Amino acid sequence: MNKVKRTWQINGEEHQTEIPPVRRFLDVLREDLGLKGTKEGCGEGECGACTVIVNGEAVLSCMLPAGQVPENAEVTTVEGLEKTPGGRLLQAAYAEKGAAQCGFCIPGMIVSSYAMLSRDPSADPARIREAHAGNICRCTGYEKIVEAIQSAAEQWPAGTKG
Amino acid sequence: MVMAVKELGTLHSVGKGIPRLDADEKVRGLAQYADDLNVPGAWYGFVVRSPVAHGRLRGLKKDPGFDWSQVVVVTPEDIPGNNIVDLMGRDMPFIAHDVIQYLGEPVALVAAASRHLARVAGSHIRADIEELPPLLTLQDMVARYKEDPAQLHELASQTIRKGDTEKALSEADMVVEQEYSAGHQEQLYIEPQGMVAIPESDGTMFIHGSMQCPYYINPELCETLDIPPEKLRVKQSAVGGAFGGKEEFPTLLAGYCALLALKAKRPIKIIYDRNQDILYTTKRHPSWSRYRVGVMKDGTIHAIQTEFLLDGGAYTTLSPVVMYRGILHAAMGYRCENVAIDGHVYRTNTFPNGAFRGFGAPQALWAWESMIDELAEACGMTPHEFRLKNCLHQGDSTPTGGILRDSVGSPTVLEKTLERANFSEKLKQCSHGRRGEKKWYGIGLSFFAHGSGFTGDGEARIKAKVALDLEPGDDGKPVVNVRVSSTEMGQGTCTILPQVAADALSIDIRHTAYPMPDTFKVPDSGPTVASRTAMVVGSTIFSAGKKMKAELEAFVSAELFDGQPVVLEQDRFCGSYGDKEMSFEEAAAQYLSRKGSLRVYDQFKLPEFIKWNQKTFEGDAYPAYAWGCNVAELEVDTLTFEIRVTRVTSYWDIGRLLNPVLAKGQVEGGLVQALGYAMLEKIEIKNGKYDADRMQTYVIPTTLDIPEMDLHFVEFPYEHAQPGAKGVGEIPMDGLAPAIANALVQATGIRMRDLPITPEKLFQMMHEEKTA
Amino acid sequence: MAGWNERVTDLSIASTMTFDDVACAFPASLQEALELMADEKTRGRLLAGGTDLMVQWESGVLAMPERAVSVKALPELRTIEETEADVIIGASVTHMDIRRSPLTQKHVPSLVDAAATIGGFQIQTMGTIGGSVANASPAGDLAPSLMITDGAVVLASVRGEREVPITAFWTGYRKTDMQPDELIVRFRLPKMPEGYREAWRKLGPRQAQAISKVMGSCRGCVEGGVVKSFRVAIGSVAPTCVRLYDVEKWIEGKKLNEGTLAEAEKRTSDSITPIADIRSTAEYRKWVTGRIVRGFLEQFADQ
């Protein structure tokens, strides 16, 4: 059989899988593991709705062959954010500032925010914009998203990964 | 239902930036969009399409080498009812059976257990088509129109006449003539179209998916499926953006799913991928406008004559109404007693164009607000002097002879924007293409109104119906459920309507809820379009809330407070003798246990004095108008001609602000879509196909493309529909493109009359000017 | 594989294979990878970050292969190092790694600037320098900055290693000098000499997530207003990224003034024959390439 075995820590839980190696990681998350929070907006790496974090880096699950997600990788999807202080902070800020409208880009957007702030809890709007240029939103004009991230950055728990 | 402002009572929810009621599920990734719905046993549908844009279908050939036992195929013979999509014109079939009118027109439907197998099966069906010459582009359409309109297939036309325009043009000191055009714009909601059809054992067809208007699909599908409306249940899933793109199109997708479901006898799911979504769904109509405007030396507009053409695509669909809104805005905003407007929609062999935020107004205003600057220049006036001289005031008459009776944000929004942007001073600093500068600076203005609610007699015909249900919520506590067909698609319906209901009842918003619309549970409050939800549906909810309040007060008085008069205020029932008080929650629970749930209905009525003639287009085209003014500032890099909009200053009168945070979000998002329309978004037709068919080639603004936005509201509440909103959904889309074009003239001296505005066009026009 | 229906109207119909059907090897070492590639029976399509290939497979632009060999995780390919003269970048180093490394920031700054304009952060953390170069797109964002270093691509196979000058690596539209059993292991990029500068410019339809209309890099040195050295490469105007040798030769030794700048601009535009596509017109590309080169020289002159 054309399958590889991988064990991953997804949102803090261990998942053992056996998957076709070039199956899109997005399909593994949504269809095989039932984690439907992650969205597909374009299927070609342009919109960022499928963004997840693998070992600390934001990646696009629609163009990531699942077999390339390393053994024992730590994976964070939108469903995992509420398990972390930083994630909860971001969720509250997104809700309060009106950063979500239709909400379809939000799982990818807020995961990008979490990846960025975990590495660089900067409230500088220029850096926030650059770190989110790979996440397309058609509703908000991005203003309230940037506001929300700034607000979360200002309260980001110091010295933690969030 | 008409109440004076003073009866509004104190507002505790309306006017506050209450966070969206669906924010929590959206930020946690829990909202269920169409592709997230768990539908056991569902097969996947696929649409087999015509590979040519125009032709005569001779038949279908199925590859005999393919194993057809594993799939279901639907062709026109399988349709139980009429093979007609019941939109305006009734000229579009669900599945083509004779003439092919556009590339990608459905010729068969296929379903299989996997998405992949359905696609593969589809590729083994070949349409045998005798090709006919297609008409594909706006440019070709306009060329034929100029030569002889009789060569074109007209899908709709309408005129507006006021005064004697020909005579007035001959009297004018100057007549300025100009043409403008704009191309397709794709809605590009981030969630692609998706739908599920589930055939139920009692013969009900259950449609569940991404849509704006559940009561379009029912009844539009009934004729095709040959079932009565009560056997067609339509429910909205979470919608990942729509912008008009999920107004009329979902009927097609629901039809494909339902037809396959009938034959396969199992649920069918179709989720478009992005490529299909861009190629085979509606877009903003390409448009062409020609103006002849007579002005007097003192800068008065004396006569406006204009033609407004839309490229309708292959079938009529909603194009007539889009054109109506276009012509109603094509000379709006300024005083003029002599107006002649001719609107036409012609067929081309492309996917039918359709609803998109603004619905014809952005196309019309792109031309008209560019023209206003050209008129100002012809009169030797600045853009703002000319607008201030001619703009409509309260009591003035619109191009259709309607009177602006009240709630008129003009000229206030214009004056305030000019002041805030320091327009007159900055206008003097513009570069006008001066040599030797690294950057050219320009500033430009636009001023516009957007008709609130349906065009013409629409609201009078549809009579929006709403209900409020007092019933036990999921936690057993009493909740007031807002029952409307008005949908949440990102714009905030799920929050503003509960805000209005809460204030009508004088209860806390936590006692209200907005369940997803389901035609088995909600009355028809009309489609979620035309910036009508806040004004029309909101005001009907408000009056329904007042009714429910009276009913509950009567109950508490009679059954709990010994007959003394009772008032419900700020979540508490208070007896007028001062000795009895009860919380809303407790009293409502008493009501539920003694009398069961309570449903209150109401229906929207236009004020009596609103008069409209749908044939002659005379009278009050809209009950009210929202007003907006944009000032755009931009820089041109003289090395490369790259154009960057650096700042947008704007004021808006959208009536009463129901929720300032959500309203601002609408304006910001709308302006960014308008920025895309103005500068980035384009689809051309190469070798008969759209050249931009993916998100890599159809580009929209990113976080790094956004100008600084300085946005403000002034409130002129609409007094005849409490609490007085006038709608904010569409107006942000209306005016940015002409403001940018007007700024570009001040920066470079070049006037661009075709959208989008690009460095390539600027280079070409600069080059032509130099060689001329 | 479109086969029976010749005129499919959906890009995505084109293949009857799915991602699930593609086999993939995950060699643990470079040696193992080379051995897999040496044998026709085990050889597969080299897969690095996937940011180009996964899209091309999904859309049907490229047929899905039976077999892939993933080189993304090979430890030998993931380092950035230096020698006295060169920066050595492993083929599986990501665009984000290039942005973050002090070595690249110091010695090949325009490569860092170019990496920062690729896609968004997510593409930058996934895509690799080797994958980008092997993809051989004329719009590959790293190409001009690599070309102006006069560096080399190091290819390896079981037969050994060989160096190909970057300027000779792309042999045509989406064509390279690679043999079927070879893979890119690293790039050897001569450091920017003392007193030299680099510059990068990309024109795209928007400010991020854009495929370029035109882009270019240069490395050079201007002293006392006189061009001592100038190397310039331009992408998206020809079937491959191109070095403008004639312009370089002409401007070297010249004093920068309006006359020489205008002539350099004209010579640049005259030296290329770009095409029109969805992103831009041939005329604009031709003109603006000259303008970009002029801008580079002006920038250097300002110093």
Side-chain angles (χ1 to χ4, degrees), chain A residues 35-75:
Chain A
L35 292 167
K36 297 207 172 189
T38 304
K39 305 300 179 204
E40 175 165 4
C42 71
E44 57 168 5
E46 291 287 330
C47 77
C50 69
T51 304
V52 300
I53 301 172
V54 175
N55 288 336
E57 301 281 16
V59 296
L60 298 169
S61 61
C62 81
M63 48 209 295
L64 176 59
Q68 280 194 348
V69 179
E71 185 68 8
N72 294 319
E74 280 187 35
V75 177

Short mmCIF file of all heavy atoms in Angstrom, two decimals, chain A residues 35-75:
data_model
loop_
_atom_site.label_atom_id
_atom_site.label_comp_id
_atom_site.label_asym_id
_atom_site.label_seq_id
_atom_site.Cartn_x
_atom_site.Cartn_y
_atom_site.Cartn_z
N LEU A 35 -11.15 17.55 11.69
CA LEU A 35 -10.87 18.91 12.18
C LEU A 35 -11.28 19.91 11.10
O LEU A 35 -10.46 20.35 10.30
CB LEU A 35 -9.39 19.05 12.56
CG LEU A 35 -8.97 18.22 13.77
CD1 LEU A 35 -7.45 18.16 13.88
CD2 LEU A 35 -9.57 18.82 15.05
N LYS A 36 -12.57 20.23 11.07
CA LYS A 36 -13.11 21.01 9.96
C LYS A 36 -12.99 22.51 10.16
O LYS A 36 -13.50 23.29 9.34
CB LYS A 36 -14.56 20.61 9.71
CG LYS A 36 -14.65 19.14 9.30
CD LYS A 36 -15.85 18.84 8.44
CE LYS A 36 -15.73 17.41 7.92
NZ LYS A 36 -16.72 17.09 6.92
N GLY A 37 -12.36 22.93 11.23
CA GLY A 37 -12.16 24.37 11.42
C GLY A 37 -11.28 24.96 10.33
O GLY A 37 -11.51 26.07 9.87
N THR A 38 -10.27 24.23 9.90
CA THR A 38 -9.37 24.69 8.85
C THR A 38 -10.12 24.68 7.52
O THR A 38 -10.79 23.70 7.20
CB THR A 38 -8.13 23.79 8.79
OG1 THR A 38 -7.54 23.78 10.09
CG2 THR A 38 -7.12 24.29 7.78
N LYS A 39 -10.02 25.77 6.74
CA LYS A 39 -10.85 25.93 5.54
C LYS A 39 -10.05 25.87 4.26
O LYS A 39 -8.85 26.20 4.24
CB LYS A 39 -11.58 27.28 5.58
CG LYS A 39 -12.40 27.54 6.83
CD LYS A 39 -13.49 26.51 7.01
CE LYS A 39 -14.28 26.78 8.27
NZ LYS A 39 -14.92 25.57 8.79
N GLU A 40 -10.73 25.52 3.18
CA GLU A 40 -10.12 25.60 1.84
C GLU A 40 -10.81 26.72 1.06
O GLU A 40 -12.00 26.66 0.79
CB GLU A 40 -10.31 24.27 1.09
CG GLU A 40 -9.80 24.37 -0.34
CD GLU A 40 -9.62 23.03 -1.03
OE1 GLU A 40 -9.96 22.00 -0.41
OE2 GLU A 40 -9.13 23.03 -2.18
N GLY A 41 -10.02 27.73 0.72
CA GLY A 41 -10.60 28.84 -0.04
C GLY A 41 -10.17 28.85 -1.49
O GLY A 41 -10.88 29.38 -2.34
N CYS A 42 -8.99 28.29 -1.78
CA CYS A 42 -8.52 28.38 -3.16
C CYS A 42 -7.81 27.12 -3.61
O CYS A 42 -7.74 26.84 -4.80
CB CYS A 42 -7.61 29.58 -3.35
SG CYS A 42 -6.00 29.42 -2.56
N GLY A 43 -7.24 26.36 -2.70
CA GLY A 43 -6.56 25.13 -3.08
C GLY A 43 -5.25 25.35 -3.80
O GLY A 43 -4.69 24.42 -4.37
N GLU A 44 -4.74 26.58 -3.79
CA GLU A 44 -3.48 26.80 -4.50
C GLU A 44 -2.57 27.80 -3.78
O GLU A 44 -1.77 28.47 -4.41
CB GLU A 44 -3.74 27.25 -5.93
CG GLU A 44 -4.57 28.51 -6.04
CD GLU A 44 -4.57 29.07 -7.45
OE1 GLU A 44 -4.00 28.44 -8.35
OE2 GLU A 44 -5.11 30.16 -7.62
N GLY A 45 -2.72 27.88 -2.47
CA GLY A 45 -1.77 28.66 -1.70
C GLY A 45 -1.89 30.16 -1.83
O GLY A 45 -0.95 30.88 -1.54
N GLU A 46 -3.03 30.65 -2.26
CA GLU A 46 -3.19 32.08 -2.46
C GLU A 46 -3.96 32.77 -1.34
O GLU A 46 -3.78 33.95 -1.10
CB GLU A 46 -3.91 32.36 -3.79
CG GLU A 46 -3.09 32.02 -5.01
CD GLU A 46 -1.95 33.00 -5.26
OE1 GLU A 46 -2.08 34.18 -4.91
OE2 GLU A 46 -0.91 32.57 -5.79
N CYS A 47 -4.89 32.05 -0.69
CA CYS A 47 -5.81 32.76 0.21
C CYS A 47 -5.46 32.63 1.68
O CYS A 47 -5.83 33.48 2.48
CB CYS A 47 -7.26 32.31 -0.03
SG CYS A 47 -7.66 30.70 0.69
N GLY A 48 -4.77 31.57 2.06
CA GLY A 48 -4.34 31.44 3.46
C GLY A 48 -5.39 30.90 4.41
O GLY A 48 -5.12 30.75 5.60
N ALA A 49 -6.59 30.57 3.93
CA ALA A 49 -7.64 30.07 4.83
C ALA A 49 -7.26 28.74 5.45
O ALA A 49 -7.78 28.36 6.50
CB ALA A 49 -8.96 29.94 4.07
N CYS A 50 -6.34 28.01 4.82
CA CYS A 50 -5.96 26.68 5.30
C CYS A 50 -4.73 26.70 6.19
O CYS A 50 -4.14 25.66 6.46
CB CYS A 50 -5.72 25.76 4.10
SG CYS A 50 -4.24 26.21 3.18
N THR A 51 -4.33 27.90 6.63
CA THR A 51 -3.09 28.02 7.42
C THR A 51 -3.17 27.23 8.73
O THR A 51 -4.15 27.34 9.47
CB THR A 51 -2.81 29.50 7.74
OG1 THR A 51 -2.75 30.24 6.52
CG2 THR A 51 -1.50 29.67 8.51
N VAL A 52 -2.12 26.46 9.00
CA VAL A 52 -1.96 25.79 10.29
C VAL A 52 -0.50 25.98 10.71
O VAL A 52 0.32 26.46 9.91
CB VAL A 52 -2.30 24.28 10.22
CG1 VAL A 52 -3.74 24.07 9.79
CG2 VAL A 52 -1.35 23.53 9.28
N ILE A 53 -0.20 25.64 11.94
CA ILE A 53 1.17 25.79 12.42
C ILE A 53 1.80 24.41 12.57
O ILE A 53 1.21 23.52 13.20
CB ILE A 53 1.21 26.54 13.76
CG1 ILE A 53 0.57 27.93 13.59
CG2 ILE A 53 2.64 26.65 14.29
CD1 ILE A 53 0.38 28.68 14.89
N VAL A 54 2.97 24.23 11.95
CA VAL A 54 3.71 22.98 12.11
C VAL A 54 5.08 23.33 12.70
O VAL A 54 5.82 24.10 12.10
CB VAL A 54 3.88 22.24 10.77
CG1 VAL A 54 4.77 21.02 10.95
CG2 VAL A 54 2.53 21.84 10.19
N ASN A 55 5.34 22.81 13.87
CA ASN A 55 6.59 23.09 14.58
C ASN A 55 6.92 24.58 14.60
O ASN A 55 8.03 24.99 14.28
CB ASN A 55 7.74 22.29 13.96
CG ASN A 55 7.62 20.81 14.30
OD1 ASN A 55 6.99 20.44 15.29
ND2 ASN A 55 8.20 19.96 13.46
N GLY A 56 5.94 25.38 14.93
CA GLY A 56 6.16 26.80 15.14
C GLY A 56 6.06 27.68 13.92
O GLY A 56 6.06 28.89 14.03
N GLU A 57 5.96 27.08 12.73
CA GLU A 57 5.88 27.89 11.51
C GLU A 57 4.49 27.80 10.90
O GLU A 57 3.92 26.71 10.79
CB GLU A 57 6.89 27.40 10.45
CG GLU A 57 8.35 27.43 10.89
CD GLU A 57 8.99 28.81 10.81
OE1 GLU A 57 8.27 29.82 10.72
OE2 GLU A 57 10.24 28.86 10.86
N ALA A 58 3.96 28.95 10.47
CA ALA A 58 2.68 28.96 9.74
C ALA A 58 2.91 28.38 8.36
O ALA A 58 3.82 28.80 7.65
CB ALA A 58 2.16 30.38 9.64
N VAL A 59 2.10 27.42 7.98
CA VAL A 59 2.21 26.80 6.66
C VAL A 59 0.81 26.66 6.05
O VAL A 59 -0.19 26.78 6.75
CB VAL A 59 2.87 25.40 6.72
CG1 VAL A 59 4.31 25.50 7.21
CG2 VAL A 59 2.07 24.46 7.61
N LEU A 60 0.80 26.40 4.74
CA LEU A 60 -0.47 26.25 4.04
C LEU A 60 -0.77 24.77 3.89
O LEU A 60 -0.06 24.06 3.17
CB LEU A 60 -0.39 26.92 2.67
CG LEU A 60 -0.12 28.43 2.73
CD1 LEU A 60 0.21 28.96 1.34
CD2 LEU A 60 -1.33 29.14 3.31
N SER A 61 -1.82 24.31 4.57
CA SER A 61 -2.07 22.87 4.56
C SER A 61 -2.58 22.39 3.20
O SER A 61 -2.55 21.20 2.93
CB SER A 61 -3.03 22.49 5.68
OG SER A 61 -4.27 23.13 5.51
N CYS A 62 -3.03 23.31 2.31
CA CYS A 62 -3.54 22.86 1.01
C CYS A 62 -2.41 22.50 0.05
O CYS A 62 -2.64 21.89 -0.97
CB CYS A 62 -4.45 23.90 0.37
SG CYS A 62 -3.59 25.24 -0.46
N MET A 63 -1.18 22.94 0.36
CA MET A 63 -0.09 22.56 -0.53
C MET A 63 1.02 21.85 0.23
O MET A 63 2.16 21.78 -0.24
CB MET A 63 0.43 23.75 -1.34
CG MET A 63 0.70 24.99 -0.57
SD MET A 63 0.46 26.45 -1.61
CE MET A 63 1.76 26.23 -2.78
N LEU A 64 0.65 21.28 1.36
CA LEU A 64 1.62 20.55 2.16
C LEU A 64 1.34 19.05 2.06
O LEU A 64 0.30 18.58 2.51
CB LEU A 64 1.51 21.00 3.62
CG LEU A 64 2.38 20.28 4.64
CD1 LEU A 64 3.87 20.42 4.30
CD2 LEU A 64 2.11 20.82 6.04
N PRO A 65 2.26 18.29 1.43
CA PRO A 65 2.06 16.84 1.40
C PRO A 65 2.13 16.30 2.82
O PRO A 65 3.08 16.60 3.55
CB PRO A 65 3.25 16.34 0.57
CG PRO A 65 3.81 17.54 -0.12
CD PRO A 65 3.50 18.71 0.76
N ALA A 66 1.12 15.55 3.23
CA ALA A 66 1.03 15.15 4.64
C ALA A 66 2.26 14.39 5.09
O ALA A 66 2.69 14.51 6.24
CB ALA A 66 -0.23 14.32 4.86
N GLY A 67 2.85 13.62 4.18
CA GLY A 67 4.04 12.86 4.54
C GLY A 67 5.21 13.75 4.91
O GLY A 67 6.15 13.31 5.57
N GLN A 68 5.17 15.01 4.47
CA GLN A 68 6.25 15.94 4.82
C GLN A 68 6.07 16.56 6.20
O GLN A 68 6.95 17.28 6.66
CB GLN A 68 6.35 17.05 3.77
CG GLN A 68 7.11 16.64 2.52
CD GLN A 68 7.47 17.84 1.66
OE1 GLN A 68 7.00 18.94 1.87
NE2 GLN A 68 8.30 17.61 0.67
N VAL A 69 4.93 16.32 6.81
CA VAL A 69 4.77 16.79 8.20
C VAL A 69 5.56 15.82 9.06
O VAL A 69 5.24 14.63 9.13
CB VAL A 69 3.29 16.82 8.61
CG1 VAL A 69 3.15 17.30 10.06
CG2 VAL A 69 2.50 17.73 7.67
N PRO A 70 6.64 16.30 9.70
CA PRO A 70 7.59 15.37 10.30
C PRO A 70 6.98 14.54 11.43
O PRO A 70 5.98 14.94 12.04
CB PRO A 70 8.68 16.30 10.87
CG PRO A 70 8.47 17.62 10.24
CD PRO A 70 7.03 17.70 9.87
N GLU A 71 7.61 13.43 11.65
CA GLU A 71 7.25 12.56 12.78
C GLU A 71 7.32 13.37 14.08
O GLU A 71 8.26 14.15 14.28
CB GLU A 71 8.23 11.37 12.80
CG GLU A 71 7.93 10.31 13.83
CD GLU A 71 6.64 9.55 13.52
OE1 GLU A 71 6.05 9.73 12.44
OE2 GLU A 71 6.21 8.76 14.39
N ASN A 72 6.32 13.20 14.92
CA ASN A 72 6.23 13.90 16.21
C ASN A 72 6.08 15.41 16.09
O ASN A 72 6.30 16.14 17.05
CB ASN A 72 7.43 13.58 17.11
CG ASN A 72 7.43 12.12 17.52
OD1 ASN A 72 6.37 11.57 17.83
ND2 ASN A 72 8.58 11.49 17.47
N ALA A 73 5.71 15.88 14.91
CA ALA A 73 5.52 17.32 14.74
C ALA A 73 4.43 17.83 15.68
O ALA A 73 3.45 17.14 15.95
CB ALA A 73 5.15 17.63 13.30
N GLU A 74 4.63 19.06 16.16
CA GLU A 74 3.57 19.73 16.91
C GLU A 74 2.76 20.57 15.94
O GLU A 74 3.29 21.45 15.26
CB GLU A 74 4.17 20.65 17.97
CG GLU A 74 4.61 19.91 19.21
CD GLU A 74 5.03 20.87 20.31
OE1 GLU A 74 4.42 21.95 20.43
OE2 GLU A 74 5.98 20.52 21.02
N VAL A 75 1.49 20.26 15.86
CA VAL A 75 0.62 20.94 14.91
C VAL A 75 -0.44 21.73 15.70
O VAL A 75 -1.01 21.20 16.65
CB VAL A 75 -0.08 19.91 13.99
CG1 VAL A 75 -1.07 20.60 13.05
CG2 VAL A 75 0.96 19.11 13.20
#
